[in-house]
Amino acid sequence: MTISLKRHSSTLKFFCPLFAVILILLPDTAWVKMPDKPRLNIGYSSKTFLDVDMKDAVAALDVWVDEWSAKEGFSAQNRIYDDLDVLAKDFQQGNLDLGIVKSLDYLKIRNAITPELAMTHVKGGKKTIRYHLLVQSDSGITSIKDLRNRKLTVRKGDDMGLLFLNTLLLKNRLPETEKFFFLSDPKPRSSQVMLSVFFGQADACLTTDITYKTMVELNPQVKEKLKIIASSEEYVEGVNFFRKDYDDNYKKIVLDRSQRLKDSVRGRQIMLLFKIDKVAVLEEKDLDTVRKLLADYERLRRRN
């Protein structure tokens, strides 16, 4: 049906000015505004990608975040940081909602950013890792004291492993790693660290119990040819934390999605890429052994 404007001109003359007055008098809240999407800006320390191909990891994480955020109605973005201080500053200023760093780095910046612990990954059925110092079984080496000036191999960027090793050396009243060992070039992969000792390219190596178990399962000869001469306590390796004033409902959604990685193809790809079983909730008490390691190191440095 066609309406003639000419026929209703008198009505329009009255209605238009009245409508203009109503628009002026209405408060801003009277306007219907489409709600903004919940935001989730995630900041990753580049150290969290040390044992994987960073390009592959970033690509997989971007696709997964895009998929679930679209389903949940979020606006999500991943950011990678080489500088921990820059990550902490962005978090403090509210530019990041979720931070993902190594546990030692978390303890360094914790007091400055007042975060809320969220999650960590689970490997080998647990939230923690244990370090092993390995040598060849027939080397005649029985303790760390026997490794003076011997060739040591470690994984690149493994700060907590080196902290454990330095603490162990100080407990035995020995110099720290750089002065005690002959250090070979760090390896980019944990498996390469063990293989360097297996094939006699190094006298000792520092690895995790997860890597050790995997290598033994792949090749039982590893257990015969290599022996453990020292082990650490259990330490949380990675920490995910929220901005404290981030919306509680959004936190629940992010936690739920992260704990259901296995429910999607992209999520399972991430689990496979990072070699994790799942993601679990993290509490402050879970970091007690890492705090103790730091405290022991500082105390022994002062003593020595």
Side-chain angles (χ1 to χ4, degrees):
M1 183 175 76
T2 304
I3 299 176
S4 170
L5 291 179
K6 185 177 181 180
R7 180 180 171 185
H8 297 280
S9 59
S10 60
T11 303
L12 285 171
K13 286 177 183 178
F14 168 78
F15 175 75
C16 289
L18 178 61
F19 183 62
V21 171
I22 292 171
L23 292 181
I24 293 170
L25 294 177
L26 277 174
D28 291 342
T29 53
W31 288 95
V32 177
K33 183 181 178 183
M34 293 297 290
D36 293 330
K37 287 183 178 181
R39 190 197 78 174
L40 179 66
N41 285 342
I42 309 171
Y44 295 84
S45 165
S46 58
K47 290 181 182 179
T48 60
F49 302 99
L50 287 176
D51 214 25
V52 297
D53 184 282
M54 183 177 286
K55 289 182 180 179
D56 291 344
V58 170
L61 287 167
D62 281 345
V63 172
W64 177 70
V65 165
D66 286 347
E67 284 187 0
W68 81 254
S69 62
K71 289 179 183 178
E72 297 288 353
F74 272 69
S75 173
Q77 182 181 13
N78 293 322
R79 303 177 185 177
I80 314 299
Y81 292 81
D82 292 324
D83 190 321
L84 182 66
D85 291 336
V86 176
L87 186 154
K89 184 178 180 181
D90 274 354
F91 191 87
Q92 193 176 30
Q93 293 178 346
N95 299 323
L96 294 177
D97 308 301
L98 180 66
I100 300 176
V101 301
K102 292 293 188 180
S103 57
L104 282 179
D105 286 339
Y106 170 77
L107 293 178
K108 286 178 186 176
I109 63 175
R110 181 181 180 277
N111 292 335
I113 62 175
T114 57
E116 180 180 315
L117 279 180
M119 305 163 279
T120 190
H121 55 251
V122 173
K123 290 184 178 182
K126 56 195 179 83
K127 295 188 284 188
T128 55
I129 58 170
R130 183 188 293 272
Y131 284 98
H132 292 322
L133 183 60
L134 300 174
V135 298
Q136 287 198 350
S137 299
D138 60 359
S139 63
I141 297 169
T142 60
S143 73
I144 195 169
K145 294 178 181 180
D146 299 326
L147 287 170
R148 187 185 291 270
N149 297 325
R150 298 289 191 101
K151 192 173 184 180
L152 173 75
T153 303
V154 297
R155 191 190 67 176
K156 182 180 179 182
D158 192 356
D159 295 340
M160 189 154 61
L162 287 174
L163 182 63
F164 156 68
L165 199 55
N166 283 327
T167 304
L168 181 62
L169 287 165
L170 291 173
K171 280 181 181 178
N172 286 274
R173 296 189 178 276
L174 298 169
E176 292 188 42
T177 304
E178 291 186 355
K179 293 182 179 179
F180 184 75
F181 293 102
F182 173 77
L183 290 172
S184 64
D185 291 336
K187 304 294 183 184
R189 298 286 182 269
S190 297
S191 57
Q192 295 172 333
V193 171
M194 282 188 63
L195 290 174
S196 65
V197 179
F198 184 84
F199 290 114
Q201 298 163 349
D203 299 298
C205 72
L206 188 67
T207 191
T208 68
D209 56 342
I210 308 300
T211 301
Y212 177 77
K213 182 180 177 182
T214 301
M215 295 293 286
V216 168
E217 288 173 351
L218 291 173
N219 184 357
Q221 286 187 335
V222 169
K223 191 173 184 178
E224 297 175 9
K225 196 165 183 178
L226 302 182
K227 67 178 180 180
I228 301 169
I229 62 168
S231 295
S232 74
E233 294 187 62
E234 297 278 353
Y235 305 125
V236 170
E237 187 179 23
V239 175
N240 299 12
F241 53 93
F242 285 117
R243 185 163 43 83
K244 210 158 209 175
D245 58 353
Y246 190 58
D247 187 277
D248 287 339
N249 291 323
Y250 301 164
K251 290 175 188 174
K252 290 177 183 177
I253 293 171
V254 175
L255 283 169
D256 178 66
R257 276 290 176 176
S258 298
Q259 290 176 296
R260 292 194 289 116
L261 277 170
K262 61 178 175 31
D263 293 348
S264 69
V265 174
R266 300 298 184 188
R268 290 192 293 273
Q269 287 177 345
I270 290 171
M271 291 170 64
L272 183 63
L273 188 63
F274 285 92
K275 299 180 178 65
I276 64 174
D277 304 337
K278 60 180 180 179
V279 170
V281 173
L282 185 64
E283 300 176 25
E284 284 289 345
K285 64 181 181 181
D286 294 326
L287 294 167
D288 284 350
T289 53
V290 183
R291 292 190 184 92
K292 181 178 180 297
L293 178 64
L294 273 169
D296 287 347
Y297 173 71
E298 293 297 336
R299 175 178 55 81
L300 291 165
R301 276 191 72 189
R302 290 192 297 270
R303 183 196 72 176
N304 287 16

